Amino acid sequence: MDVRDKQVLRSLRLELCAELLVEGLIIQYLYQEGILTENHVQEIRSQVTNSRKTMMLLDILPTRGPKAFETFLESLQEFPWVRDKLEAKRNEVLVAGPAGDEIPGISQCILKNLPTDQQLSKLARRLGPEWEHIVLYLGLTYNDIYYCKANHPYSVQSQIVSAFISWRQRFGNRATIESLCAGLKIGEVDSSVIQEMIQ
């Protein structure tokens, strides 16, 4: 999924949780179109409340390829006002354009590299509670966060490093420093933290 489409879903996350009922047509359509697997459908249905079901779907969608956002819009036949809101937000983000994507003082060559364990450890020392929003934006799920916390109950820094390493393993060559920087910007992390991580 395109970075800007991920940004749209994240910015409207709470509204979508309040307004959507994903149990019926939405997940069936996404399953029919190959965006969701049978396991995804079961995972969503196993959530206790409707808002948790919607959150789970919103965690899964960004990992389901370039057609996921468009197909999600198509699935909203019973919720035309939600579809209109998503399309309006998307146009807003597109009009804003790529301004600010460049990170001063960091060459494109470095941005295309994968972050090292040392860089991720440096970054983890500088992050607070916002790390969860950042890794969700990068494509991890609430379940991934839960496992990171369960495996490292006494060290937040270890939880953060573990989450970023999981992201790097899952996304392979797409888990670049550039992608990580985009996530950090969404989490409103100061650019000095990014500079320090690269040094």
Side-chain angles (χ1 to χ4, degrees):
M1 186 181 286
D2 184 82
V3 168
R4 289 191 179 90
D5 290 342
K6 287 182 185 178
Q7 192 176 335
V8 169
L9 288 181
R10 184 174 179 274
S11 65
L12 293 174
R13 188 178 181 88
L14 293 178
E15 287 180 56
L16 292 172
C17 287
E19 294 184 28
L20 285 183
L21 295 168
V22 301
E23 179 76 55
L25 184 65
I26 294 175
I27 59 173
Q28 286 307 318
Y29 184 80
L30 292 170
Y31 175 64
Q32 172 192 296
E33 297 301 310
I35 300 298
L36 297 180
T37 65
E38 201 170 326
N39 283 344
H40 289 140
V41 172
Q42 287 172 0
E43 201 176 352
I44 291 165
R45 283 186 169 152
S46 71
Q47 301 303 306
V48 181
T49 64
N50 186 65
S51 64
R52 283 188 174 277
K53 287 176 177 151
T54 306
M55 275 189 195
M56 178 64 69
L57 174 63
L58 294 176
D59 288 343
I60 293 167
L61 278 177
T63 70
R64 301 304 298 160
K67 293 182 180 174
F69 190 85
E70 287 295 341
T71 312
F72 178 53
L73 289 180
E74 289 165 14
S75 77
L76 299 174
Q77 293 169 25
E78 295 176 339
F79 302 91
W81 69 93
V82 176
R83 186 173 55 209
D84 292 347
K85 202 177 287 186
L86 283 163
E87 286 174 339
K89 189 71 174 177
R90 190 190 208 186
N91 291 335
E92 207 178 287
V93 171
L94 287 171
V95 168
D101 282 355
E102 292 297 316
I103 298 146
I106 303 174
S107 71
Q108 277 297 313
C109 168
I110 289 172
L111 290 172
K112 298 297 177 195
N113 291 336
L114 304 189
T116 64
D117 287 359
Q118 186 181 5
Q119 286 170 332
L120 293 176
S121 183
K122 247 192 226 181
L123 175 62
R125 285 198 290 271
R126 294 290 304 274
L127 293 181
E130 72 277 12
W131 74 271
E132 294 185 28
H133 295 295
I134 293 165
V135 298
L136 286 171
Y137 172 81
L138 291 172
L140 295 192
T141 66
Y142 281 108
N143 280 348
D144 294 322
I145 291 173
Y146 171 80
Y147 287 122
C148 292
K149 288 181 171 180
N151 290 334
H152 305 280
Y154 305 113
S155 169
V156 174
Q157 189 180 331
S158 298
Q159 292 169 12
I160 300 171
V161 171
S162 173
F164 282 127
I165 287 173
S166 296
W167 162 71
R168 193 179 60 192
Q169 287 170 341
R170 184 169 305 168
F171 290 92
N173 290 335
R174 289 179 293 150
T176 59
I177 289 175
E178 186 171 28
S179 300
L180 179 56
C181 289
L184 293 172
K185 281 186 175 182
I186 291 292
E188 298 181 354
V189 173
D190 193 85
S191 59
S192 65
V193 173
I194 299 171
Q195 300 279 2
E196 186 184 313
M197 175 186 77
I198 305 262
Q199 284 168 4

